[in-house]
Amino acid sequence: MAVNFSQSRTKENLMRAFAGESQARNRYTIAAEEAENKGFYALKEIFLFTAEQERAHAARFYEFLKQEAGNTIEIDGTYPVDQSESLVELLNMAAHNERQEHEDVYPAFAKTAEEEGFQDVAYTFREIAEVEKVHGVRFTKLADMLKNETYYEKPEGDEWMCLNCGYIFKGTKLPTMCPVCHKERGYFIPACMAPYLGFEGSGYERKGE
Ligand SMILES: [Fe+2]
Ligand SMILES: [Fe+2]
């Protein structure tokens, strides 16, 4: 049944989503500071990268609210206080919220939008829900690696990229600093998560090997 946008639940859900994304963006920016304070530059970058995507989500939802420009929209909602000095906890809390968005919140908003006749909004909620899944999986993976101490060490061998100079380290345990640029090892990111790498981590062979 088509509904007038101004009277729709979708209008409110878009504002809820805008508020949620805006807060997620800030939570990740703040978590990035915590990661940096702990010398974990790579994790800081991952938080900032994700924060920027939450900004893009917020912008997309906000755009749908354009026709309400000049009005205020009252919403109720619950928002998490995800504060911790533990990076593992910050990652797990972030993953939890991402999962909720992916599994419950955005699918429900999409369904309502569809019922109210806003197909493009429904599509956007569904596709952004898929992005949140990726966010959640990545945060969980990182939390597990930190918790199990497999971020810097992989008995079966792995590859890492230094985010400062691009050097690829191959082995079972990262040195305490990058052998090329001498930045601390917090600059290294596992190859499977390295940006712009251009090859599968496990398929990489250094020249001459
Ligand atoms: Fe998002
Ligand atoms: Fe997300």
Side-chain angles (χ1 to χ4, degrees), residues 3-206:
V3 175
N4 180 301
F5 185 74
S6 294
Q7 263 95 56
S8 69
R9 286 192 290 150
T10 292
K11 179 190 81 173
E12 292 174 0
N13 288 339
L14 284 165
M15 187 48 105
R16 282 190 186 98
F18 177 68
E21 296 286 350
S22 302
Q23 292 189 23
R25 179 198 190 186
N26 271 342
R27 280 197 306 273
Y28 295 164
T29 312
I30 294 165
E33 283 171 28
E34 189 65 35
E36 186 171 33
N37 290 341
K38 292 195 155 69
F40 217 143
Y41 178 83
L43 195 54
K44 171 193 153 193
E45 287 300 301
I46 293 169
F47 271 124
L48 291 180
F49 175 71
T50 315
E52 187 52 22
Q53 293 177 356
E54 309 304 7
R55 184 207 55 78
H57 300 172
R60 193 68 190 96
F61 294 137
Y62 202 44
E63 218 178 306
F64 282 119
L65 290 167
K66 220 172 198 165
Q67 53 191 296
E68 293 296 310
N71 298 333
T72 57
I73 299 169
E74 191 180 331
I75 49 159
D76 53 18
T78 55
Y79 301 98
V81 185
D82 288 350
Q83 304 207 40
S84 173
E85 278 167 24
S86 151
L87 294 177
V88 174
E89 272 175 29
L90 284 174
L91 286 164
N92 277 328
M93 290 187 290
H96 171 82
N97 297 326
E98 298 283 1
R99 249 192 324 272
Q100 263 190 337
E101 281 176 344
H102 165 68
E103 289 172 6
D104 305 321
V105 183
Y106 289 170
F109 287 178
K111 190 167 171 279
T112 301
E114 203 159 67
E115 285 164 5
E116 292 184 329
F118 306 109
Q119 303 308 332
D120 46 350
V121 177
Y123 169 84
T124 307
F125 273 129
R126 283 209 183 93
E127 294 308 315
I128 290 182
E130 289 307 307
V131 179
E132 311 304 11
K133 182 183 182 179
V134 176
H135 290 173
V137 167
R138 186 164 55 226
F139 283 144
T140 301
K141 214 167 166 179
L142 287 161
D144 290 347
M145 284 195 281
L146 289 192
K147 199 172 158 220
N148 309 331
E149 292 178 358
T150 53
Y151 188 94
Y152 293 125
E153 217 174 320
K154 286 264 177 66
E156 69 276 23
D158 204 352
E159 285 146 23
W160 290 262
M161 178 197 265
C162 171
L163 287 180
N164 184 55
C165 73
Y167 171 71
I168 305 275
F169 175 83
K170 198 175 177 184
T172 54
K173 190 179 176 183
L174 274 175
T176 52
M177 65 177 193
C178 175
V180 175
C181 72
H182 294 183
K183 287 281 188 189
E184 66 249 49
R185 66 180 179 178
Y187 276 79
F188 277 99
I189 188 168
C192 67
M193 290 191 189
Y196 320 120
L197 195 52
F199 53 78
E200 290 299 316
S202 58
Y204 179 69
E205 290 299 327
R206 273 179 296 182

